Amino acid sequence: MKSTKFSRKEIQLIYCGFKQDCPTGVVSADKFRELYSQFFPLGDATVFARQIFQMMDQDMDGSVSFEEFLVVMSMLSRGSIDEKLQWVFNLYDLNGEGFLTVDSMIEIGASIYEMLGKYTDPPVHEATVREHVTRIFIKMDSNADGIVTFSEFKEFCVNVSFYIYRLFIWVELFFH
């Protein structure tokens, strides 16, 4: 088994939960969508769940084994910032080309809003998603070449999180 950042005891506990939902020891795309959809009952998680499933199915055999599941959960919960950002970048890089396009980001953005449901407040329309994603894409594309590399993606994410963190500290200092 590939190394994870979980202890033996944690792996045993995770395995028990995995086997409860997936008694065969693997999860199919349909079962994954069904499980994922439980977290978003007001929306349609079909497209986003398929994209996540494809990211987890490392050997591309049409199912996610416990090992594949565990490796991703370990990385997402205990991996470095670079590992997590690379995983998210790969999620947006639908064609595996090593760069993002505005269209691939719109596709993921639309699937996220679809998953959240039509009952978001305020309601989100397709044109809103396109405008929002395009604005973010332009900010990420620091050299304005029409694609976003991992380096540009990482720089944007790190800078945005820094400003959000500073805002949070400011709010805490002045309002508490």
Side-chain angles (χ1 to χ4, degrees), residues 1 7-26 35 66-67 69-70:
M1 181 175 278
S7 69
R8 185 176 190 78
K9 181 72 174 165
E10 288 171 319
I11 292 172
Q12 290 171 337
L13 290 171
I14 295 167
Y15 183 72
C16 287
F18 187 86
K19 283 291 278 187
Q20 185 174 342
D21 286 326
C22 309
T24 62
V26 296
L35 292 169
F66 177 69
E67 181 179 351
F69 175 78
L70 189 66

Side-chain angles (χ1 to χ4, degrees), residues 77-134:
S77 65
R78 300 194 178 158
S80 69
I81 295 295
D82 278 358
E83 289 171 322
K84 292 174 184 178
L85 287 174
Q86 186 67 61
W87 197 84
V88 173
F89 179 85
N90 292 343
L91 176 64
Y92 280 93
D93 181 12
L94 297 173
N95 298 322
E97 298 168 317
F99 59 84
L100 308 180
T101 64
V102 71
D103 290 337
S104 68
M105 289 187 62
I106 288 170
E107 189 172 332
I108 294 288
S111 71
I112 291 169
Y113 283 112
E114 215 173 88
M115 178 177 63
L116 295 175
K118 296 177 178 148
Y119 304 103
T120 56
D121 189 24
V124 178
H125 303 286
E126 187 177 330
T128 307
V129 173
R130 181 171 289 284
E131 290 168 19
H132 182 72
V133 170
T134 301

Side-chain angles (χ1 to χ4, degrees), residues 34-42 115:
E34 176 188 316
L35 292 169
Y36 208 86
S37 294
Q38 291 174 11
F39 296 105
F40 303 97
L42 299 178
M115 178 177 63

